[in-house]
Amino acid sequence: MIRTVIVDDEVLATVGLKAMIDWPAHGFEIVGEGDNGESGLEVIRRLRPDVVITDIMMPRIDGLEMMKRVLSELPGTRFVVLSGYNEFSLVKKALRQGARDYLLKLSLRPETLLETLDALRG
């Protein structure tokens, strides 16, 4: 199982993401959650997941800063950035910092999420 943490300050986004697919059937286990970048950082440090799916705009520490800190400590961690913003500058910054993909919350479909997760296996 690929150990996965979800970090998002929107509870409904987290609930929706968890309900979108059958995670275990696809080889993923959601081992923890954070509701902002600061709590996400703590959860990631403690659980050391393989994959982190994170929102980009969050209070305290944003997703990009959290990703930067995690990758300096745990360089093998794979990130997928979720956002409600379709701003090219944010996409570019996330990918430059090491995100494997950038998904838009409002148009996210199960098939798209599964494609992204399949690509993370390698």
Side-chain angles (χ1 to χ4, degrees):
M1 288 287 204
I2 296 171
R3 297 167 41 84
T4 306
V5 165
I6 298 172
V7 183
D8 198 314
D9 61 322
E10 297 176 34
V11 175
L12 290 178
T14 300
V15 169
L17 191 61
K18 288 168 53 178
M20 188 172 280
I21 61 169
D22 183 349
W23 292 84
H26 296 283
F28 288 80
E29 176 186 13
I30 298 174
V31 295
E33 299 173 25
D35 59 3
N36 62 58
E38 192 173 82
S39 69
L41 193 54
E42 292 170 13
V43 168
I44 294 163
R45 284 175 172 153
R46 182 170 34 89
L47 299 175
R48 299 179 177 269
D50 305 302
V51 172
V52 176
I53 300 174
T54 184
D55 189 6
I56 202 165
M57 300 296 228
M58 295 182 291
R60 299 193 183 146
I61 300 172
D62 68 28
L64 293 175
E65 179 62 26
M66 181 190 72
M67 186 170 72
K68 182 174 150 185
R69 292 183 191 185
V70 169
L71 289 173
S72 72
E73 297 173 30
L74 304 166
T77 309
R78 291 165 279 173
F79 279 86
V80 174
V81 174
L82 270 180
S83 182
Y85 303 94
N86 188 12
E87 288 187 33
F88 183 68
S89 63
L90 288 177
V91 174
K92 195 164 132 179
K93 193 169 185 180
L95 295 174
R96 277 190 177 155
Q97 278 190 212
R100 300 289 180 98
D101 209 342
Y102 188 102
L103 303 173
L104 291 174
K105 287 181 184 181
L106 298 176
S107 60
L108 186 59
R109 301 176 49 82
E111 308 82 52
T112 308
L113 179 58
L114 286 171
E115 282 177 22
T116 297
L117 294 176
D118 284 342
L120 291 173
R121 290 181 198 284

